Amino acid sequence: GENVEQHPSTLSVQEGDSAVIKCTYSDSASNYFPWYKQELGKRPQLIIDIRSNVGEKKDQRIAVTLNKTAKHFSLHITETQPEDSAVYFCAASGPGGGNKLTFGTGTQLKVEL
Amino acid sequence: DGGITQSPKYLFRKEGQNVTLSCEQNLNHDAMYWYRQDPGQGLRLIYYSQIVNDFQKGDIAEGYSVSREKKESFPLTVTSAQKNPTAFYLCASSISIASNEQFFGPGTRLTVL
């Protein structure tokens, strides 16, 4: 089945700096890659996703890049703000896994003032 | 994601007891999912259902059972056979299993005393 690895597990940045979180996946047939943000004690919420026919997608301060050849994708947050502090999860899915999402282990992002 | 609810928010159980977690959605979604979340391990799939009266085991189904008698409801029973049930349980739904994007409920925190 699919295996998703996520790094780093914790990340501290100064307010205004950029943050990058990286994930790798194992199944070359995977074709959908979402990123979820989870604040403490709350539900995960989708912040951005990308499909395998696209190399990059942006939404204001958030961007995701996908390298299908290397089987890795990354989340980029620019001009970080304190409210960006949360746990971020990547995930992957595709027909090889019955279209079920396989999640990474999460990255605790802390934006310091 | 406002259309998917879970109850109760907190649940305490004595060892040896079965307990049922509720998940309801009014989004008219066909697919529903149950995940378990432990610190540092991301979200792991317990069971999922693609359609009413049908469900399949996920990666960690042992000690759990589900039913899908109605489209709106997908309850999860944590049985006494689950050796380490203390965790945060998240229910999710999607239009179909092929639609990929999942919406999460607020979660139930189960503690075994």
Side-chain angles (χ1 to χ4, degrees), chain B residues 25-84:
Chain B
Q25 54 96 2
N26 62 5
L27 302 168
N28 200 33
H29 286 174
D30 281 325
M32 298 186 73
Y33 313 81
W34 274 105
Y35 294 92
R36 171 181 171 138
Q37 186 174 27
D38 296 282
Q41 294 195 47
L43 282 68
R44 293 183 290 167
L45 183 64
I46 304 172
Y47 267 98
Y48 65 102
S49 168
Q50 299 188 56
I51 201 166
V52 176
N53 293 321
D54 178 72
F55 50 83
Q56 287 85 39
K57 293 181 179 180
D59 300 320
I60 55 166
E62 185 175 354
Y64 300 97
S65 66
V66 294
S67 62
R68 186 85 187 277
E69 298 177 359
K70 298 188 298 182
K71 187 175 186 177
E72 301 79 18
S73 178
F74 190 41
L76 173 74
T77 296
V78 184
T79 74
S80 57
Q82 170 50 236
K83 299 305 178 186
N84 186 21

